[in-house]
Amino acid sequence: MMTRANIAIDGPAGAGKSTVAKKLAAELGYTYIDTGAMYRALTWKVLQEQADPENESAVLHILQQMHLELDMKNGNVFVTVDEKDVTDAIRQQDVTSLVSFTARHARIRSEMVEKQKKLAEKGGTVMDGRDIGTAVLPDASFKFFLNATVEERAKRRHAEQLQKGMQSDLTQLQTEIAERDRIDSERETAPLKKADDALEVDTTAMTIDEVVSFLLGIVREVKRYE
Ligand SMILES: Nc1ncnc2c1ncn2[C@@H]1O[C@H](COP(=O)(O)OP(=O)(O)OP(=O)(O)O)[C@@H](O)[C@H]1O
Ligand SMILES: Nc1ccn([C@@H]2O[C@H](COP(=O)(O)O)[C@@H](O)[C@H]2O)c(=O)n1
């Protein structure tokens, strides 16, 4: 019988982590945990409180006071903060452009990592983010680092926004994505980085289904021999 592993998926912005993690979790009957949504929800609350994202103590106080919940319904992640549905609000531009600043602080990351470890303690999770393989689940049974060129990642996000009827500027998106990756990679605590024992998958020329089948193949093959 398949034991319930934890699967870590990391990578830069727009590499397809959440899309692939969600599908992989559905195939395996595992729980999908979107850690980016947790940092986004905190950033939303920081904006609501008109606090300074650079002020670590102020941000920490907000994190310790707020009640954050992630739920999966019909294959989608729903996020509530203090019982308010912020699922759409946390994807807006104001949150996206500030999230890497709130996520930079060591004490914020330490609290978040504790929460994320707890969510995965029973196994059977697919968790995506930037530090899952390196800091949150260093003992995960499977670690994948999804990547794609910044041009391709911007193109994918551009297509998604147009499809949702949103305004989108491809050049601006590419600049924003590259800048977010830079801040995430240069922070001192648990920067965006491939874990030494993670498998890097360049998805630039792969479809979503090809990526999912590739990862699923590895998980099923390894589990067959356990
Ligand atoms: N292999 C792929 N081929 C084409 N489009 C893809 C592929 N993977 C993901 N996408 C699309 O790219 C967009 C970004 O994917 P997704 O939101 O999963 O990325 P992410 O890594 O979770 O991003 P972020 O870290 O910014 O939240 C989505 O519109 C998704 O449908
Ligand atoms: N494990 C993580 C996950 C996310 N972050 C920060 O949150 C930002 C938003 O993440 P998305 O996946 O929703 O785009 C991301 O740019 C990081 O700043 C993180 O630090 N660690």
Side-chain angles (χ1 to χ4, degrees), residues 170-221:
L170 180 59
T171 312
Q172 195 184 330
L173 259 180
Q174 191 174 316
T175 307
E176 283 167 6
I177 286 176
E179 178 60 2
R180 194 145 61 93
D181 290 347
R182 186 190 65 74
I183 302 169
D184 290 343
S185 312
E186 289 181 359
R187 70 174 173 236
E188 278 179 20
T189 312
L192 161 65
K193 180 177 169 294
K194 182 183 106 55
D196 292 340
D197 52 353
L199 175 69
E200 181 158 1
V201 182
D202 182 347
T203 73
T204 307
M206 294 170 85
T207 65
I208 294 170
D209 285 347
E210 283 170 344
V211 181
V212 176
S213 308
F214 181 65
L215 303 197
L216 200 54
I218 292 172
V219 172
R220 289 198 165 134
E221 189 63 13

Side-chain angles (χ1 to χ4, degrees), residues 9-23 32 34 36-37 40 91 96 128-130 146-148 152-161 163-164 177 180-181 184 202-212:
I9 302 189
D10 290 300
K17 302 179 296 298
S18 55
T19 307
V20 167
K22 230 181 277 173
K23 285 178 177 276
Y32 166 55
D34 177 354
R40 286 174 177 273
R91 306 285 164 197
T96 302
D128 85 315
R130 304 293 188 287
L146 297 191
N147 215 336
E152 173 65 19
R153 290 184 281 125
K155 254 198 261 171
R156 291 174 183 174
R157 191 64 86 202
H158 183 58
E160 176 189 334
Q161 294 191 338
Q163 205 241 331
K164 285 182 179 162
I177 286 176
R180 194 145 61 93
D181 290 347
D184 290 343
D202 182 347
T203 73
T204 307
M206 294 170 85
T207 65
I208 294 170
D209 285 347
E210 283 170 344
V211 181
V212 176

Side-chain angles (χ1 to χ4, degrees), residues 134-153:
T134 54
V136 181
L137 303 174
D139 299 326
S141 309
F142 298 91
K143 296 184 186 180
F144 299 109
F145 189 89
L146 297 191
N147 215 336
T149 61
V150 69
E151 291 82 4
E152 173 65 19
R153 290 184 281 125

Side-chain angles (χ1 to χ4, degrees), residues 106-153:
R107 285 186 292 159
I108 301 302
R109 300 205 68 81
S110 158
E111 291 258 330
M112 287 293 199
V113 167
E114 275 316 298
K115 287 180 196 289
Q116 292 156 1
K117 280 181 189 286
K118 272 209 187 94
L119 291 171
E121 69 191 357
K122 294 202 176 100
T125 71
V126 182
M127 190 180 278
D128 85 315
R130 304 293 188 287
D131 61 342
I132 311 306
T134 54
V136 181
L137 303 174
D139 299 326
S141 309
F142 298 91
K143 296 184 186 180
F144 299 109
F145 189 89
L146 297 191
N147 215 336
T149 61
V150 69
E151 291 82 4
E152 173 65 19
R153 290 184 281 125

Side-chain angles (χ1 to χ4, degrees), residues 36 38-41 43 94-104 180 184 187:
M38 298 170 75
Y39 288 96
R40 286 174 177 273
T43 306
D94 54 348
V95 171
T96 302
S97 37
L98 277 185
V99 63
S100 293
F101 295 96
T102 54
R104 226 166 32 165
R180 194 145 61 93
D184 290 343
R187 70 174 173 236

